[in-house]
Amino acid sequence: MRFRDRREAGERLALRLRPLRGDRAVVLGLSEGGLVVAGEIADVLGAPLDILLTGRIEAAGPPPTTLGAVGEGGLVVWDHDAIRRFDIDPAELAQLLADARAGLARQVAVYRHTVAPAAIAGRTVVLADDGAATGTTAHTAIRVLRARQVRRIVLAVPVAQTDVADRLGREVDQFVCLRPVAWLHAVGNSYRKFSAVADTEALELLHREPRLPTEARR
C-alpha cells in the first residue's frame, strides 16, 4: 500500500485517533513533512497545531551518532550512555552542543517570528511524522517532550520499519502506525507524491484558521 501524499496519510491516521477528541490534545509535527500529516489530525481532533523544533546533538559518522538534543528555551537532553560508549570528551561535546543550538536558532528564527510555541506541559501531545525509518528523530523528540513534562505522548506515523515501531512503541504512551514494514529503505518510497515541504508551506499551515472537527474531511 502506498499513500497518495502526506495529506491522505494524515487523514487515515486521524480516523484512528478520533477517540482523542475532547482530550485537550496538542498536535505537533515532527518536521515540515510531519506538519502536513499533523495538520489533518489536528483538524479532526479540533486541536491546536504546532511544529516541534529541536536540534540533534550529533557526532560525525558515518553514520552520525545522536548524543542528545536541544529544545526551545535552552532545554538540553543528553544520551549519557551514547556519550560513554563513544568516549566523547567534554570539549567536543561543548562544540557539538553549540552547533546544535545554532541549527535550532535558525529554525526558531523562521518559525517563531510569527508563531508562538503551543503550551504543552501537562497536556496530551500527538506527535506526528510522515514515517519512521530509523526512529532517531522520533526518539530524540520523545525525550524532549518528556523533559517538558507533557502528560501523555501519542506517536502517530503512517509507515515505520517493524523493529523501529516496536522500539518506539515502548517509549510512548500510545503508538499508531498504519503500515509497519519489515524493511523501510526510505520513507518516500511509501508515497506516490513526496515532494519537499518548504518553510513557506509549513508556515501557512501554522497560520491557517483551525477547522472545527465537523468541518474536517471524513
Side-chain angles (χ1 to χ4, degrees), residues 53-58 68-72 100-101 103-104 107 140 144:
L53 300 179
T54 63
R56 278 192 286 180
I57 305 168
E58 289 186 326
V70 56
E72 289 184 79
R101 280 178 165 154
L104 177 61
Q107 292 186 72
T140 300
V144 168

Side-chain angles (χ1 to χ4, degrees), residues 3 130-133 157-161 177-181 184 187 190-191:
F3 301 101
D130 49 24
V157 294
V159 60
Q161 189 164 298
C177 176
L178 301 176
R179 184 175 173 246
V181 295
L184 184 62
V187 169
S190 295
Y191 292 83

Side-chain angles (χ1 to χ4, degrees), residues 26-28 50 52 117-125 144-145 148-152:
V26 178
V27 184
L28 303 181
D50 197 8
L52 181 65
I120 60 174
R123 304 277 291 272
T124 293
V125 169
V144 168
L145 290 176
R148 291 178 66 180
Q149 300 181 326
V150 303
R151 182 174 70 86
R152 188 164 175 260

Side-chain angles (χ1 to χ4, degrees), residues 3 16 22 35 53 71 84 112 126 139 142 144 157 166-167 175 208:
F3 301 101
R16 296 274 295 272
L35 187 63
L53 300 179
R84 284 191 295 269
R112 297 309 182 204
V126 178
H139 172 71
I142 289 164
V144 168
V157 294
D166 290 342
R167 174 166 52 83
F175 180 61
R208 76 181 186 187

Side-chain angles (χ1 to χ4, degrees), residues 159-211:
V159 60
Q161 189 164 298
T162 305
D163 60 336
V164 172
D166 290 342
R167 174 166 52 83
L168 292 175
R170 293 192 292 271
E171 296 180 13
V172 295
D173 301 286
Q174 182 181 350
F175 180 61
V176 178
C177 176
L178 301 176
R179 184 175 173 246
V181 295
W183 173 248
L184 184 62
H185 176 68
V187 169
N189 292 341
S190 295
Y191 292 83
R192 293 197 292 274
K193 180 181 178 183
F194 195 73
S195 54
V197 178
D199 290 336
T200 51
E201 182 181 349
L203 285 167
E204 285 176 3
L205 283 168
L206 292 171
H207 280 292
R208 76 181 186 187
E209 285 294 322
R211 287 180 291 184

Side-chain angles (χ1 to χ4, degrees), residues 57-59 65-69 76-94 96-97 143:
I57 305 168
E58 289 186 326
T65 301
T66 299
L67 304 173
V76 179
V77 179
W78 293 105
D79 185 337
H80 295 287
D81 289 338
I83 292 169
R84 284 191 295 269
R85 188 164 61 250
F86 292 95
D87 194 25
I88 310 295
D89 67 68
E92 183 178 358
L93 282 178
L96 294 173
L97 174 58
R143 296 176 66 222

